[in-house]
Amino acid sequence: RVKFTSLMIFTVIWLTIVYFPMAHMVWSAGGVFFEMGALDFAGGTVVHINAGVSGLVGCLFLGKRIGYLKEALPPHSLVMTLIGTGLLWVGWFGFNAGSALGANGTAGLAMVNTLVATAAGGVAWLVAEKVAGHKSTLLGGCSGVIAGLVAITPAAANAGPFGAILLGAIASVIAFYFVTTLKAKFGFDDTADVFGIHGVAGIIGSIGVAITYAPFIGGPGDADYAIGAQLSTQLLATGVAIAWAAIGSAIAFGIAKAINGLRVTDAE
């Protein structure tokens, strides 16, 4: 739906006013959330909430596809969907484990968690489809895998394997409900469920890491770790990430629209 040139204009502005400031706030010494001790190992707020909320703003600016909710618009190729999901899962090991910045025990924990949380997310989506009265589907399984990957990102080395499994499964079920029920009620056309999966599961992961970090569920926190204090920090970081991405993306899309227009013609 979007003009390529306009997307490039948006990207330059978005990187500058949305992504870079959020990455600094969360990951850099001196950043407000870094100093507060916010947990985001590989990008729950910085990447997934940022991208999910920005995608939602973008689809609202663009408007719906021709024929949306009026005719069937199935994926072009489920084989390609499966291939893409597999490539994502393999690649995800790279930046989750790689965020340890070395081949060490932290990287090993992140790698294990990225495996089990994602598997739990895939299975949970299939079960949710069955419980909802549908057949379990390949598209659903792939969607659950992505939800699991997204949810474990901030908790990759901030959870034990059991906590990772729970986080992946819970995020997947909530994303399933959003995608299959709430999205139609809201009526926006988020074509690939960027907000419904990346945004929603990113929010669940960024908040849930406060719980998975606790030692009682196998997390790496010490004996005097306080869930309540960490949870308040995670909620603040998550809320700011949502607002920052929404406002910044609206500015970036607005500028791109003013300069070049956003949407291709109906004929195109």
Side-chain angles (χ1 to χ4, degrees):
R1 282 172 284 173
V2 66
K3 293 178 181 177
F4 182 74
T5 307
S6 300
L7 187 61
M8 294 300 98
I9 295 169
F10 163 81
T11 301
V12 171
I13 300 168
W14 184 87
L15 276 172
T16 306
I17 68 173
V18 178
Y19 182 81
F20 293 150
M22 184 56 59
H24 173 75
M25 282 190 272
V26 175
W27 283 337
S28 297
V32 59
F33 295 122
F34 182 90
E35 298 300 332
M36 289 175 65
L39 298 171
D40 189 354
F41 186 74
T45 50
V46 179
V47 179
H48 299 303
I49 292 176
N50 239 353
V53 172
S54 299
L56 175 61
V57 172
C59 76
L60 294 175
F61 264 83
L62 275 173
K64 300 170 186 176
R65 285 169 290 173
I66 298 170
Y68 181 66
L69 295 181
K70 297 176 183 177
E71 57 187 82
L73 296 168
H76 167 68
S77 169
L78 279 175
V79 173
M80 295 297 285
T81 300
L82 181 60
I83 292 169
T85 303
L87 290 169
L88 272 174
W89 196 342
V90 172
W92 226 281
F93 288 122
F95 68 77
N96 271 8
S99 292
L101 306 181
N104 49 36
T106 302
L109 178 62
M111 190 131 183
V112 169
N113 286 342
T114 302
L115 178 67
V116 297
T118 305
V123 172
W125 195 294
L126 296 174
V127 172
E129 286 181 315
K130 198 71 175 174
V131 171
H134 309 295
K135 288 183 177 180
S136 299
T137 65
L138 177 62
L139 181 62
C142 290
S143 300
V145 162
I146 305 304
L149 286 169
V150 169
I152 196 56
T153 297
N158 295 323
F162 181 68
I165 290 170
L166 288 179
L167 188 61
I170 291 168
S172 181
V173 171
I174 293 173
F176 166 81
Y177 175 71
F178 187 93
V179 167
T180 58
T181 304
L182 291 182
K183 185 174 81 163
K185 291 182 179 179
F186 290 135
F188 59 85
D189 185 10
D190 178 6
T191 315
D193 294 313
V194 176
F195 180 75
I197 296 178
H198 279 268
V200 170
I203 291 168
I204 300 301
S206 293
I207 296 171
V209 65
I211 298 169
T212 64
Y213 195 75
F216 81 89
I217 200 171
D222 51 32
D224 59 355
Y225 172 71
I227 290 179
Q230 188 64 49
L231 187 60
S232 66
T233 300
Q234 296 306 125
L235 285 168
L236 178 61
T238 299
V240 170
I242 292 169
W244 195 279
I247 295 168
S249 295
I251 292 170
F253 276 115
I255 293 172
K257 185 175 183 178
I259 293 173
N260 194 52
L262 283 181
R263 189 167 172 133
V264 297
T265 65
D266 288 1
E268 288 170 321

